Amino acid sequence: MALVKQSDNRGVVIAAVILMSWSVLLVYLLRYYDVDFASPLTYLFFLLQTHLYTGLFITAHDAMHGVAAPGKPKLNKAIGTVAAFLFAYNWYPRLLPRHHQHHRHVATAEDPDYHHGSFWLWYLSFLKQYITWWQMLLMAITFNLLKLFFPVENVVLYWMAPAVLATFQLFYFGTYEPHKGEHPADNPHKSGTQAKNHLWAFVSCYFFGYHYEHHDKPYLPWWQLYKTKI
């Protein structure tokens, strides 16, 4: 039984908090923050913005499972579309069928997220599945526009680089670690899982290191996934 009721609005509120936090912090860091590479705050803000970028994709991912706004398909799709688009111009209608194909054919040749090979070849395969030429074009145009108004080091450090690192974070904790290697025959989801540590699970990838649990209960939003961890 799903733990999220159709009338539950917590997913909408949580999605709004992530979207607003990412937007407000980005505006502050681009416009008002003076980068000082001798200050720990510079790196703390970089890591926080990376974490919020990851949160954008996790929010879009929740929408793909219909739990960003349960029982409200139009709002759910809108949240997913906006969250995905803010993450380096990802296109939600393109991501949606690929993600469900991953769930139907996990760790097989028909799984778009899976690659039978070395870590870096798998990462490149992952990028090829989710990055298109028009995204790169839009990113390049946006970068050149932003640097007309904001210091270039701020644009690189707080808009561009966090998106790259968040992509790596999503791949490592949400794809590579749980699906690498051979899984026993009694593992129907061909997925591993992190050891139980809710703080690390949240910081590393919004509980998606608990990946077997996600595949076992895909109807749970990220903020309830920890409840399934034994």
Side-chain angles (χ1 to χ4, degrees):
M1 179 181 293
L3 300 181
V4 181
K5 298 178 180 178
Q6 293 293 297
S7 59
D8 196 331
N9 291 316
R10 287 177 294 173
V12 177
V13 173
I14 291 170
V17 168
I18 290 175
L19 290 165
M20 288 299 297
S21 298
W22 178 86
S23 302
V24 170
L25 184 59
L26 179 62
V27 170
Y28 167 73
L29 292 173
L30 290 181
R31 182 165 185 153
Y32 301 107
Y33 184 70
D34 294 325
V35 172
D36 177 5
F37 289 105
S39 170
L41 273 179
T42 294
Y43 306 98
L44 180 62
F45 280 137
F46 169 71
L47 292 174
L48 180 56
Q49 192 65 0
T50 299
H51 186 67
L52 290 171
Y53 256 109
T54 301
L56 291 179
F57 196 90
I58 295 297
T59 299
H61 170 270
D62 266 10
M64 294 176 205
H65 288 285
V67 295
K72 301 172 183 175
K74 290 184 179 180
L75 178 58
N76 185 81
K77 182 179 179 180
I79 291 171
T81 301
V82 171
F85 196 72
L86 290 176
F87 192 122
Y89 299 109
N90 278 284
W91 187 233
Y92 181 80
R94 181 175 180 270
L95 298 176
L96 181 61
R98 289 169 179 261
H99 185 65
H100 284 284
Q101 186 177 349
H102 163 66
H103 274 265
R104 287 193 303 269
H105 306 287
V106 61
T108 70
E110 296 178 81
D111 180 356
D113 291 0
Y114 185 72
H115 180 79
H116 188 70
S118 68
F119 174 85
W120 289 111
L121 288 177
W122 192 341
Y123 182 52
L124 290 175
S125 173
F126 181 82
L127 292 179
K128 286 168 63 178
Q129 288 292 333
Y130 289 98
I131 297 179
T132 63
W133 66 267
W134 61 264
Q135 282 177 262
M136 293 188 288
L137 178 61
L138 286 172
M139 288 288 284
I141 292 172
T142 304
F143 172 77
N144 282 283
L145 289 174
L146 287 174
K147 72 179 186 178
L148 296 177
F149 302 97
F150 308 111
V152 67
E153 61 267 26
N154 293 58
V155 177
V156 172
L157 196 59
Y158 298 122
W159 178 74
M160 180 176 286
V164 176
L165 185 58
T167 300
F168 186 84
Q169 182 179 2
L170 287 160
F171 167 73
Y172 184 80
F173 291 105
T175 297
Y176 177 74
E177 272 297 314
H179 296 302
K180 69 178 181 180
E182 298 295 327
H183 296 282
D186 62 351
N187 183 332
H189 306 303
K190 299 179 182 178
S191 303
T193 186
Q194 285 179 342
K196 186 176 180 179
N197 183 322
H198 294 334
L199 177 60
W200 173 241
F202 169 69
V203 170
S204 61
C205 201
Y206 292 77
F207 301 115
F208 271 87
Y210 297 161
H211 209 75
Y212 180 93
E213 292 78 6
H214 166 60
H215 276 267
D216 196 51
K217 295 179 174 63
Y219 53 77
L220 289 181
W222 70 263
W223 45 273
Q224 292 216 358
L225 194 56
Y226 75 94
K227 294 180 180 181
T228 69
K229 186 66 178 176
I230 299 174

